[in-house]
């Protein structure tokens, strides 16, 4: 049977304590034991069916984790308080002093800063490469390399990682392939294509309401158990645990993710096609002109489309800023970072979300000043939106 992430989420059946249609929220940070012996066993790692303390796990977190594991088709998962709270423990669980990482150079600014500026303090070095060039990726691998790291669709340039090909490389060299799938939930299922670990910021499309932060690690039971170990588990010891209120809230939003992703994708595809026809430099994986269009197409779960993210080049930072201010004034969206909201969000990545990346490197990777990143919203009438956006672009001199 064909893998369908939304069906997998929907097929779960959770009841609340009193037969509620939503599972009860676990309103406790600590849990009682009927015997002292079972408390001891739980500390020793035999936690089957027992809850200890909510930084380790809670019933609400397990419900959300299980739904996300179903979405990615991994054995299990563990949620965290933020996306970075999921990503950083994965890296620190796998790497120690002397180890090396090969990472895509076009990744989320925070992840980039962590590997570039923070992990070297612990003796972990990273080589940043163009992830779309497999020969370059392979050439960067050394005997010390432990991790191959990328984003399915990268922030902010929307480069697409060829997950099956990278998985082959990782296997050949004994590396763990970690894929951040924040930009393309449901659209692409990296674990089905050979990724060992899939991470997400739940703060974006998955929660979709821009009201709550969250992250998740989807992986094997062995790996997740290791990150939760009370003795040396990076998730447990670094402490970025999710609160039960949050996981309960995100689980409710996760249930409409398939409907939202289809609408985000439909609207983004519509605008990308029009913008390109109008002569704007437009980047969208669904466009035939996108260098990795075929790679995306070969990996995608078709019904969810090519995602809600696109970029255009307004020519200069000044024009980009004027255009964004005007679009906000006309209520076409908000000048804000983040993504996956019902409203369109736009920002100039060079001066915001990717400002951690030095200017020279930005240039080298093709991140020019005038680029505007759009997270296209759930607009009911995208033709109207397009007409209004086009009017702004003409007014500002972008078109
Ligand atoms: C936002 C984001 C993160 C970080 O997530 P937070 O929830 O903000 O900690 C990681 N990766 C990508 C691709 C993101 O967009």
């Amino acid at each position: 049977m064909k893998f369908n992430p939304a069906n997998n989420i929907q097929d779960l059946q959770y009841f609340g304590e009193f037969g509620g249609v939503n599972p009860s929220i676990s309103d406790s940070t600590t849990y009682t034991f009927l015997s002292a012996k079972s408390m001891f066993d739980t500390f020793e790692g035999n936690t089957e069916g027992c809850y200890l303390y909510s930084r380790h796990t809670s019933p609400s977190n397990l419900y959300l984790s299980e739904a996300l594991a179903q979405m990615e088709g991994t054995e299990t998962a563990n949620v965290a308080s933020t996306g970075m709270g999921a990503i950083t423990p994965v890296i620190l669980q796998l790497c120690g002093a002397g180890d090396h990482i090969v990472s895509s150079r076009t990744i989320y600014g925070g992840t980039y800063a962590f590997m570039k500026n923070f992990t070297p303090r612990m003796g972990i070095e990273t080589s940043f490469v163009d992830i779309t060039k497999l020969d370059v990726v392979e050439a960067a691998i050394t005997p010390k390399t432990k991790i191959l790291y990328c984003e399915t669709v990268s922030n902010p340039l929307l480069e697409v990682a060829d997950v099956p090909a990278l998985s082959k490389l990782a296997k050949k060299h004994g590396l763990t392939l970690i894929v951040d799938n924040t930009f393309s939930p449901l659209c692409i299922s990296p674990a089905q294509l050979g990724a060992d670990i899939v991470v997400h910021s739940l703060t974006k499309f998955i929660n979709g309401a821009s009201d709550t932060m969250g992250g998740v690690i989807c992986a094997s039971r062995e790996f997740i158990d290791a990150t939760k170990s009370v003795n040396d588990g990076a998730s447990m010891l670094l402490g970025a645990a999710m609160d039960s209120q949050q996981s309960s809230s995100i689980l409710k939003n996760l249930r409409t993710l398939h409907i939202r992703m289809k609408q985000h994708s439909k609207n983004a595809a519509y605008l990308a096609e029009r913008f390109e026809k109008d002569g704007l430099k437009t980047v969208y994986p669904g466009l035939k002109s996108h260098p990795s269009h075929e790679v995306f197409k070969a990996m995608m779960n078709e019904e969810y489309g090519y995602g809600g993210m696109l970029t255009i080049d307004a020519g200069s930072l000044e024009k980009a800023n004027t255009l964004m201010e005007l679009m906000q004034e006309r209520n076409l969206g908000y000048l804000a970072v983040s993504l996956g909201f019902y409203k369109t969000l736009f920002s100039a990545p060079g001066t915001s979300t990717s400002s951690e990346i030095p200017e020279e490197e930005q240039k080298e990777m093709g991140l020019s000043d005038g680029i505007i990143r759009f997270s296209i919203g759930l607009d009911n009438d995208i033709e109207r939106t397009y007409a209004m956006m086009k009017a702004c672009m003409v007014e500002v001199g972008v078109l």
Side-chain angles (χ1 to χ4, degrees), residues 82-84 87 108 111 151 155 180 182-183 201 203-204 213-214 339:
T82 67
M84 289 309 291
I87 293 166
Y108 178 69
T111 312
E151 294 174 3
N155 187 21
D180 180 336
T182 301
F183 274 38
S201 166
T203 315
K204 316 296 172 50
M213 304 205 77
L339 38 133

Side-chain angles (χ1 to χ4, degrees), residues 23-69:
S24 308
I25 302 173
S26 43
D27 195 23
S28 301
T29 55
T30 189
Y31 302 83
T32 57
F33 289 85
L34 288 177
S35 77
K37 164 111 181 26
S38 56
M39 181 183 276
F40 174 78
D41 288 345
T42 303
F43 265 99
E44 291 293 289
N46 176 21
T47 55
E48 198 59 44
C50 282
Y51 298 99
L52 177 68
Y53 184 62
S54 286
R55 176 154 42 78
H56 182 259
T57 196
S58 72
S60 291
N61 287 6
L62 283 187
Y63 289 132
L64 177 61
S65 298
E66 179 56 21
L68 292 163

